[in-house]
Amino acid sequence: MNNTHLTFFFFGFVFFFLYFFPFMPRGKQIALVYLRYLVLTSIAALILAPFFWLVCSAFKDPEVLMAYTFLPPVSEWSSQTLNFSNLKKLFEKEETLEGAIYFWQYIVNSFFLASTSTMVTLFFSSLGGYALAKYEFRGRSFLILFMLGTMMIPAMLLLSPLYHLIHKMNWMDTYWALIVPGACSAFGMFLFRQAFFSVPSTLVEAARIDGCGEFGIYLNIVMPLVRPITAAFCLISFLGSWNAFIAPDVFIQTQSKLTLTVALNQYVDLYDQQYGIFLAGTLLAIIPPAILFFSLEKEFVGGLTSGAIKG
Amino acid sequence: MATVTLVDVGKNYPGDIKAVEDFNLVIEDGEFIVLVGPSGCGKSTTLRMIAGLEDITEGEISIDDRIVNRVSPKDRDIAMVFQNYALYPHMSVRENMAFSLKLRKYPKTEIEARINDVAQMLGLTDLLHRKPRALSGGQRQRVAVGRAIVRQPSVFLFDEPLSNLDAKLRVQMRVELSQLHNEINTTMIYVTHDQVEAMTMGDRIVVMNEGLIQQVADPITLYDRPVNKFVASFIGTPPMNFFDGHILAQNSSIAFLSEDGMQLQIAEQQTKKFRQLDKQKVVLGIRPEHIGSAIAENSETVGRISAVVDVVEPMGAETYVYLKSETTSFVSRVDSHKKYMVGEKIELAVAMDRAHFFDVNTDKAIL
């Protein structure tokens, strides 16, 4: 019987004892609450374990990286086992064929690319969604069907024709190759179209009578009312772009233009695996999306249209 | 202030659905006109065509002397109040009111002055900083009206603005809107399906049905001299009673003989025109207050009908008595102090000098 078995046995025994030998009033309910917390804590532990492993590995010395699953025993904590060497190495000057490059360059590249892509996709997808939701025009239903149809095609299948197209347009090794193909996402248009349905058409008409132009209505009246969806879409789009690997790997060749994901991947190639640095870099890569998530979190909760019309 | 003219205006929807047909109307400068009719009669479509929110299929709309068929809503110098208020929810009351003025690049000081004036007029001064969600239904409607007034447009359009309010507030707002019209004296076009609103507010009323104008007249004319059976039944609460029957000329007198054998003498002043209709089928229309009431008892030509009391509805000031004769059901509006028992057979006076007659085939009034 190992420690894991003993732990399970202990928690099971506590539940059994509380349930069948209640020594205080409402003992059975307490036992059930205990069980609920036990199950939820176990699931949370399962979900958080890889993240904890990542944090531990980022701060472990490369020499002891494989020696312990998580952290070494407290008795063995020292600057030889736990230190910042991975992070230091990560930010050291890296000599490449194109000259010296620092790791923060990749962070800047990824940040620029993810932010720009998000803004561009947000703009075009919301405009498309607005047109599909609020304007009557011939072929609208077909367009929506066609648009949804394109979502059924796996992105990988389109990589080869996209490569051909990008090459023909002389966009290889430029960020255009990563921004333009995703500038108008079918998913985004569909998402915004559904969101715009909830905006009463009378608001659009009232703004039209008030003297607002069509773009002004979109920008000043309609977009502020779908802030929760906009926030969610920004997060999804930013994460997609930040975590993108295949497209940047295929279309970007110059070392100084690489994104974080592609640059990190270079630390674990066929001949040289520097897992410590790789994991320290991965830990850093998680921080910007996490900040974005927590800053946008409040936007997801609650709608803004309450009070606009008779409810 | 402006005159609005509609000439042969029509609106067709795909599938040859005619929402509005041959709409001809001149709305005078400063007039309060009400478009009234049942759901789907084309009243809102007409208003939206005046606003420029719907393209017109045929005809011509002019505001003053300018044809506005192809003029965008913002350039028509109109303001509209919507049924569901249509306030911008992310803007405060002040921002809602200032929005159109800012777009028209008015100086800040003038915007402030206008907002303060209107807020004072409508009792919104303390609410200017609030968002629409923090307002009650009546306050929201007032803001919607304020947003329209602050623009000082030539024409105000109201699309069923009171129908989302509760009964008490509706009466209050109705009075306020009438007062507002007296105060600013601007052309107002008001759409409602509520005939009480139409009667109480309008200088003139346009009754519509199935896309067509049925009658345009002031409230009293509309009530006293409806041109057809539809107008007669639509205006008035409870609606006019109808009896099928035919004209019977006997020596010097003329009578109406209903299908269940009830005979009612036609008033002397009307005998001349009915003599030529002898034995012809007609529909007799009597308003509820002209059956069994003091008016009926004291009228010049009193007819008598007997019926069984079906339902009694005391309203406080008066009582509605629903009655059944052999083939017809009808309602009488009587003094609330008169007592009736359900199932009781009673005889009631009918004011025949107030009777209306309609052609069986065309439903038009026989005048």
Side-chain angles (χ1 to χ4, degrees), chain A residues 26-42:
Chain A
R26 297 169 66 229
K28 280 193 179 181
Q29 276 116 306
I30 290 168
L32 288 173
V33 170
Y34 164 81
L35 185 69
R36 197 193 309 156
Y37 276 93
L38 192 66
V39 170
L40 290 175
T41 310
S42 308

Side-chain angles (χ1 to χ4, degrees), chain B residues 1-2 16 34 50 54 68 74 86 90 110 119 137 143 160 179 185 213 242 244 246 290 294 310 365:
Chain B
M1 291 208 286
D16 206 26
V34 180
I50 297 170
E54 296 272 357
V68 293
K74 68 184 164 82
H90 55 297
E110 191 177 345
V143 175
E160 308 208 25
Q179 283 169 344
N185 202 26
I213 292 182
F242 296 106
D244 291 329
H246 61 269
H290 298 148
D310 194 18

Side-chain angles (χ1 to χ4, degrees), chain B residues 118-132:
Chain B
V118 171
Q120 204 167 8
M121 188 195 290
L122 297 172
L124 294 169
T125 310
D126 296 336
L127 308 173
L128 285 174
H129 62 282
R130 285 204 203 165
K131 292 269 173 69

